[in-house]
Amino acid sequence: METIKCELLDNCENIIISKSAFQYARSLIEASLDPLVTISTKGKITDMNEALTKITGKTRKELTGTDFSEYFTDPKKARKVYKEVFAKGFVENYPLTIRDHKLTNVLFNGSVYKDVEGNVLGAVVVARDITEQNRIEKELILAKVAAELAQEIAEKAKFIAESATQIAENAVKAKQQFLSNMSHEIRTPMNAIIGFTKVVLKTELSVKQKEYVNAIKMSGDALIVLINDILDLAKVDAGKMTFEQIPFKLSVSLAAMLHLFEPKIQEKNLILRREYDERIPDVLVGDPVRLHQIILNLVSNAVKFTTDGQITVSVKLLREDEKNVSIEFAVTDTGIGIAEEKIEQVFENFQQAYSGSSRLYGGTGLGLAIVKQLVEPQGGSVSVESELGVGSTFSFILPFKKTDKKVELSPDIVELDEEMTNIKVLVVEDMALNQLLMRTLLDDFGFECDIAANGKVAIEKLQVKQFDIILMDLQMPEMNGFEATDYIRKTMKIDIPIIALTADVTTVDFAKCRAIGMNDYITKPVDEKVLYTKIVALVKKAQSSNGIETLETDLIQEVKCIDLEYLIKRTKSNPKLMAEMIALYLEQTPPLIEAMKKSFNDKDWILLYASVHKMIPSFSIMGISTDFEDIAKKIQEYASTQQFSDGISQMVLQLESICVQACRELEIELNKIKNNE
Amino acid sequence: MNKKDKILIFLVDDDALFLKSLAIEFSQFEDFEIQTFPTGELCIKNLTENPAVIILDYHLNGVDLNAIDGIETLDAIKLFNALIPVIMLSSQDKIDVAINCMHHRAFDYVVKSETAFIRLQQIIENIFHYQKIEKQLGWYMERM
């Protein structure tokens, strides 16, 4: 009895336990987030957990008994799943998509369940939601691809950046080169334009003409200022701006500069005030030319932008020790002023505070950029204070060295000296444009001017004419300035003052000029005033020291018409080659003379032209004066235009006689060469 | 330097004196081999020798009026091989002459004077410079 009771109790307990175990299992299944479904062998849903109802959005009731495959986007594939389950007894990781509101991707795992006898009752299928997995996978792939792409892009960008840097560097260099070249190239013709405009202005012109020519000159001047500005900037950019260290008097320098602005300031009815700190040492060491440029830019800006009121230029001693001083320069105006947000920009290239101001006030916007570039490399600083409509103060601080040296006073600007108007100047210069320029300048001074294209021509001219002074270019073809000067001093023994002209200040060796016997030098582009001062000073000096001697130089040597120097130089003194050349000349020339004479008498202009034409090159080869070459060219011109002129017969005779003389002299030379062999 | 490496230059001028003087000047440079011709006809006949540069007088029929002039010679050279650079020489310093030469595809124009030789030298240098640049350009163009 006891035992039965106990068994019953045990059974009851077992039932209770198994019931609670079932409930426990059920709660586990319900708690799973993965949808879980049991299907009958027919494919109908028999049971499911909470997750399936959630994912399908249907109640248990609705789901039970429906076809399992209906809930998937691809029912055919879904049917395959359950067929596989029942065929193989299980299915693993079978991908399907549940047709819910967001088409959840799932993987199916399932197996059949059987009764005690082993008959298949249905299948339990678990669908694992792999949306998140897929998303992460996709994101990973995307991230990977993106990373690769990014790396590629980065490499490309690096390459592009490197080549861009290279291009930029090259471009900057090219720009500098271009600017500097263009400025030089433009400056040369501009000098001629302005020079000749000045000449025209001195002639008699109608009022209208004068107005027009003045307009040309003003435009030209403006253009030159612009070009100089550009050149300066290009120099700064290229690091070619050099600063001199020479003693100068600051007060004098400043006064001279402000003097330049007086007419303009009076014209605009402004007041110019100067404040000069008397404690500043008299003589300072620095670059006065650059200082001029800086102040010039600032004051001309002040004048330009001020219509009413005053301009103050103040110079203050900031610091002083044993060797150095620091000086602050300030230019204050009562002009239009600069808005606060624009102040930063004014020192940049091609910037004006207002885009419209260049139209209104003119200018290129380069002035202040240049000021900055001129001050900072010298160890100084620039600053600006301004209030719109009230005015601006531009100031800069520059260091200078102190010195005990005295300043060599540069010659003051000489007013045209009435007595010194008939100076005869010989300009030795090969470039046609420079020849014209020099002629222009010398005409301005009222000097007489003769041009020789090279040293050799100059010597020829010196042999037949007297000059007061020579302006000698150093670089010339045929015979350069040094050679010519040497010849004039040593061979011709003429004391005439010689001024060297040179385009390149950096390469000129003035010691060499002096040693060879030159008196002074001038750098190109030639400054009108410097040129005038130096010419007058040297001529005056020469006249007072050897007033009597000059008479004697009038004696002109009897010269041979030929000069074999060219031939000797060209053949390197090779007697055989020289003999060949001379023989050729002797062979070719007499028939040409005959042809010339005959064609002239026959009025056969074509033949006359041809024979004279052929003679021309021989003159320079045999060193016959270019005067005869000019004569030949004139005959040629007459012949080609068939203009008869009385002078022509005279010229034909001259050519004949010189050629005959040359032949005679050359025969002697030829014999000499032959005898020496 | 052997003869093959030398630069062959043709000088053509009916002015024997000037021709000789130029030939002398050129002969002082080792890299040039000079051939002189008194007429355009002779120059044209010898074009097969393939000169690197031809220096040609503008006024070739000065004495013999029936001879062909410089421009005609120039045209014949260009017809034979347009790539041969021709430098024209003339004692006339006239812009029309220079322009005329350029229109007939001369490389440059030099006035007979004392500096003519220096100019010719510079021009020949330029010619080689240009040819080098053109070669480089060709090389790059091929690769583009």
Side-chain angles (χ1 to χ4, degrees):
Chain A
M1 206 44 215
E2 272 295 302
T3 47
I4 295 166
K5 196 182 171 186
C6 281
E7 268 175 31
L8 268 172
L9 273 171
D10 272 355
N11 274 344
C12 279
E13 244 170 60
N14 277 343
I15 290 163
I16 291 163
I17 289 165
S18 67
K19 201 181 174 186
S20 64
F22 172 76
Q23 270 176 351
Y24 174 67
R26 183 83 206 179
S27 68
L28 275 180
I29 289 163
E30 290 298 335
S32 166
L33 285 176
D34 293 332
L36 204 145
V37 63
T38 58
I39 47 175
S40 66
T41 48
K42 297 264 163 56
K44 305 281 183 216
I45 293 170
T46 53
D47 199 359
M48 76 287 299
N49 70 348
E50 186 66 24
L52 187 76
T53 63
K54 255 192 201 151
I55 209 163
T56 53
K58 296 191 171 158
T59 62
R60 284 170 188 255
K61 229 184 196 170
E62 280 167 338
L63 284 165
T64 312
T66 55
D67 205 331
F68 160 76
S69 58
E70 269 174 27
Y71 298 99
F72 300 94
T73 51
D74 193 345
K76 264 188 200 163
K77 250 175 117 185
R79 231 165 278 138
K80 253 181 164 176
V81 176
Y82 88 87
K83 272 180 187 158
E84 207 179 314
V85 174
F86 291 116
K88 289 201 307 189
F90 64 92
V91 66
E92 260 179 21
N93 288 342
Y94 197 98
L96 276 178
T97 308
I98 296 175
R99 195 193 289 166
D100 58 350
H101 60 284
K102 51 177 185 178
L103 298 175
T104 314
N105 286 312
V106 292
L107 284 180
F108 271 94
N109 288 285
S111 65
V112 290
Y113 67 93
K114 301 169 182 175
D115 61 8
V116 190
E117 281 84 32
N119 297 317
V120 174
L121 296 176
V124 182
V125 190
V126 181
R128 165 150 296 168
D129 184 346
I130 53 163
T131 314
E132 192 69 3
Q133 222 170 310
N134 278 350
R135 187 181 65 79
I136 291 169
E137 202 175 315
K138 261 187 207 158
E139 275 178 9
L140 188 69
I141 292 168
L142 271 175
K144 238 177 159 181
V145 170
E148 275 166 18
L149 255 167
Q151 200 183 351
E152 220 169 276
I153 290 168
E155 269 166 23
K156 263 189 204 161
K158 195 184 158 202
F159 177 74
I160 292 169
E162 275 169 5
S163 57
T165 317
Q166 189 64 40
I167 291 168
E169 273 171 15
N170 289 344
V172 168
K173 264 185 213 158
K175 186 197 84 180
Q176 286 161 1
Q177 195 57 46
F178 174 77
L179 281 180
S180 137
N181 286 354
M182 281 317 287
S183 311
H184 277 298
E185 295 299 318
I186 296 169
R187 215 150 37 152
T188 318
M190 276 315 293
N191 276 338
I193 292 171
I194 293 169
F196 287 121
T197 311
K198 278 188 201 160
V199 176
V200 175
L201 274 175
K202 279 179 192 166
T203 58
E204 263 182 50
L205 295 172
S206 71
V207 182
K208 271 278 171 224
Q209 281 171 333
K210 202 156 193 168
E211 199 179 301
Y212 299 152
V213 176
N214 256 324
I216 295 174
K217 192 178 163 290
M218 274 163 65
S219 309
D221 286 339
L223 199 52
I224 279 285
V225 169
L226 169 62
I227 290 161
N228 286 344
D229 280 2
I230 292 173
L231 188 62
D232 275 343
L233 269 187
K235 268 189 196 159
V236 172
D237 280 351
K240 279 185 186 162
M241 180 70 85
T242 51
F243 297 100
E244 281 188 280
Q245 288 289 323
I246 53 172
F248 70 102
K249 282 189 175 177
L250 181 60
S251 55
V252 175
S253 200
L254 200 70
M257 183 146 30
L258 294 180
H259 184 69
L260 291 177
F261 285 99
E262 265 161 20
K264 192 92 197 198
I265 283 169
Q266 278 168 8
E267 197 180 293
K268 291 189 88 172
N269 224 353
L270 304 171
I271 301 160
L272 179 67
R273 284 183 49 217
R274 287 164 232 208
E275 289 167 8
Y276 190 85
D277 193 336
E278 293 301 330
R279 295 172 303 159
I280 295 171
D282 204 23
V283 180
L284 298 170
V285 178
D287 193 329
V289 177
R290 299 298 175 203
L291 181 64
H292 269 212
Q293 221 174 337
I294 298 165
I295 297 178
L296 209 86
N297 268 313
L298 292 182
V299 178
S300 71
N301 265 356
V303 175
K304 198 191 291 171
F305 293 115
T306 308
T307 44
D308 187 19
Q310 63 178 20
I311 291 162
T312 312
V313 178
S314 76
V315 186
K316 251 188 267 169
L317 181 69
L318 280 189
R319 272 184 303 278
E320 182 175 14
D321 59 27
E322 277 177 30
K323 284 181 181 162
N324 299 300
V325 290
S326 240
I327 295 173
E328 185 190 52
F329 301 80
V331 178
T332 307
D333 64 46
T334 54
I336 57 173
I338 305 163
E340 210 179 322
E341 65 270 20
K342 301 276 188 182
I343 278 190
E344 288 291 313
Q345 293 170 15
V346 294
F347 288 111
E348 281 169 30
N349 292 357
F350 298 105
Q351 281 291 342
Q352 288 195 340
Y354 312 99
S355 50
S357 63
S358 67
R359 235 172 310 140
L360 197 59
Y361 297 99
T364 57
L366 280 176
L368 288 173
I370 290 169
V371 166
K372 190 175 154 82
Q373 303 280 25
L374 288 177
V375 171
E376 286 178 353
Q378 296 195 72
S381 61
V382 282
S383 59
V384 53
E385 277 169 40
S386 184
E387 200 177 322
L388 201 56
V390 177
S392 314
T393 301
F394 283 89
S395 57
F396 61 98
I397 300 169
L398 268 187
F400 293 95
K401 287 201 185 77
K402 292 208 279 190
T403 181
D404 298 329
K405 278 186 205 156
K406 284 197 176 161
V407 179
E408 258 187 63
L409 272 180
S410 57
D412 290 329
I413 300 155
V414 184
E415 294 299 314
L416 288 189
D417 194 333
E418 287 302 320
E419 285 172 36
M420 307 297 288
T421 48
N422 49 357
I423 296 175
K424 291 195 263 314
V425 185
L426 176 61
V427 177
V428 192
E429 165 71 70
D430 61 322
M431 303 278 293
L433 205 84
N434 286 334
Q435 291 175 355
L436 285 174
L437 250 171
M438 291 309 290
R439 196 188 280 282
T440 312
L441 290 176
L442 295 171
D443 279 353
D444 270 2
F445 302 148
F447 296 167
E448 209 176 287
C449 166
D450 207 338
I451 309 263
N454 60 48
K456 203 161 160 291
V457 180
I459 288 165
E460 277 158 17
K461 287 198 191 273
L462 276 172
Q463 279 164 342
V464 292
K465 199 177 161 189
Q466 199 199 339
F467 294 94
D468 295 308
I469 189 162
I470 301 174
L471 300 176
M472 180 86 78
D473 185 31
L474 293 180
Q475 292 91 25
M476 284 179 295
E478 181 62 7
M479 186 185 232
N480 69 33
F482 291 116
E483 290 166 354
T485 308
D486 194 49
Y487 188 88
I488 293 166
R489 293 287 190 246
K490 294 213 174 113
T491 311
M492 298 175 81
K493 298 196 190 309
I494 302 179
D495 257 353
I496 180 167
I498 299 175
I499 300 178
L501 289 175
T502 174
D504 198 346
V505 205
T506 49
T507 57
V508 65
D509 190 350
F510 185 53
K512 197 176 165 195
C513 295
R514 271 270 158 88
I516 214 135
M518 292 181 183
N519 303 68
D520 208 338
Y521 80 104
I522 296 175
T523 55
K524 287 192 247 181
V526 175
D527 183 282
E528 221 178 306
K529 282 159 196 152
V530 173
L531 181 70
Y532 183 84
T533 317
K534 290 199 169 173
I535 290 176
V536 169
L538 278 172
V539 169
K540 267 187 180 165
K541 207 171 136 193
Q543 278 177 352
S544 58
S545 67
N546 52 354
I548 313 147
E549 282 170 47
T550 46
L551 292 171
E552 288 168 20
T553 50
D554 283 342
L555 294 169
I556 300 159
Q557 283 177 296
E558 179 66 36
V559 278
K560 275 205 280 191
C561 78
I562 57 157
D563 180 355
L564 293 183
E565 200 188 334
Y566 176 80
L567 214 50
I568 291 167
K569 214 167 149 190
R570 289 295 154 234
T571 60
K572 301 241 162 71
S573 314
N574 182 333
K576 196 167 159 261
L577 291 178
M578 279 182 66
E580 275 178 35
M581 289 291 292
I582 294 171
L584 268 173
Y585 182 87
L586 292 176
E587 191 186 316
Q588 181 177 292
T589 310
L592 281 179
I593 300 172
E594 280 310 305
M596 176 180 74
K597 273 163 55 183
K598 187 169 178 300
S599 59
F600 176 67
N601 288 331
D602 296 351
K603 298 196 165 48
D604 179 350
W605 303 117
I606 297 166
L607 185 61
L608 177 64
Y609 180 92
S611 51
V612 174
H613 181 89
K614 229 180 132 185
M615 255 181 226
I616 289 175
S618 69
F619 290 118
S620 65
I621 294 173
M622 292 306 163
I624 298 166
S625 165
T626 47
D627 294 346
F628 295 103
E629 204 176 309
D630 294 342
I631 291 170
K633 282 183 181 158
K634 264 181 204 152
I635 296 176
Q636 239 186 2
E637 225 163 87
Y638 285 129
S640 67
T641 54
Q642 305 195 357
Q643 273 182 337
F644 189 77
S645 145
D646 289 337
I648 192 167
S649 65
Q650 184 66 33
M651 287 194 282
V652 170
L653 277 177
Q654 272 179 317
L655 272 197
E656 187 193 348
S657 75
I658 191 76
C659 287
V660 168
Q661 192 193 339
C663 284
R664 210 165 47 225
E665 289 173 10
L666 282 170
E667 257 165 42
I668 298 166
E669 295 289 338
L670 187 60
N671 282 331
K672 264 197 224 162
I673 293 168
K674 278 182 180 162
N675 291 339
N676 285 343
E677 262 176 13
Chain B
M1 192 178 274
N2 74 47
K3 204 179 165 181
K4 269 189 184 168
D5 297 334
K6 290 196 178 185
I7 300 158
L8 179 61
I9 296 178
F10 277 14
L11 299 178
V12 192
D13 196 338
D14 66 335
D15 177 352
L17 192 67
F18 192 80
L19 191 64
K20 184 79 197 168
S21 78
L22 262 189
I24 288 173
E25 305 217 43
F26 273 112
S27 68
Q28 284 160 7
F29 288 84
E30 281 207 342
D31 9 353
F32 297 128
E33 193 201 329
I34 307 299
Q35 284 202 27
T36 57
F37 303 99
T39 66
E41 287 90 338
L42 272 175
C43 164
I44 295 163
K45 262 186 202 166
N46 285 286
L47 282 177
T48 45
E49 288 185 40
N50 205 13
V53 179
I54 297 177
I55 297 168
L56 184 64
D57 186 35
Y58 180 77
H59 209 255
L60 272 177
N61 53 351
V63 187
D64 181 358
L65 291 175
N66 296 318
I68 61 171
D69 68 15
I71 290 293
E72 283 169 303
T73 313
L74 176 59
D75 288 341
I77 294 169
K78 288 285 163 187
L79 199 65
F80 176 82
N81 178 1
L83 295 177
I84 301 177
V86 180
I87 307 167
M88 294 301 284
L89 268 177
S90 170
S91 37
Q92 287 167 294
D93 191 1
K94 282 200 180 131
I95 203 91
D96 336 345
V97 176
I99 289 173
N100 193 16
C101 290
M102 290 303 161
H103 277 174
H104 286 266
R105 291 182 292 163
F107 184 85
D108 210 337
Y109 169 83
V110 172
V111 178
K112 281 186 188 174
S113 69
E114 297 139 353
T115 55
F117 177 68
I118 300 167
R119 279 169 201 272
L120 283 172
Q121 239 184 313
Q122 282 168 348
I123 292 166
I124 290 172
E125 255 169 49
N126 275 342
I127 287 174
F128 292 132
H129 184 62
Y130 281 130
Q131 284 178 346
K132 205 173 122 195
I133 290 174
E134 261 168 36
K135 233 187 228 169
Q136 280 177 347
L137 183 67
W139 191 86
Y140 285 118
M141 290 300 274
E142 256 174 42
R143 268 149 195 82
M144 267 174 75

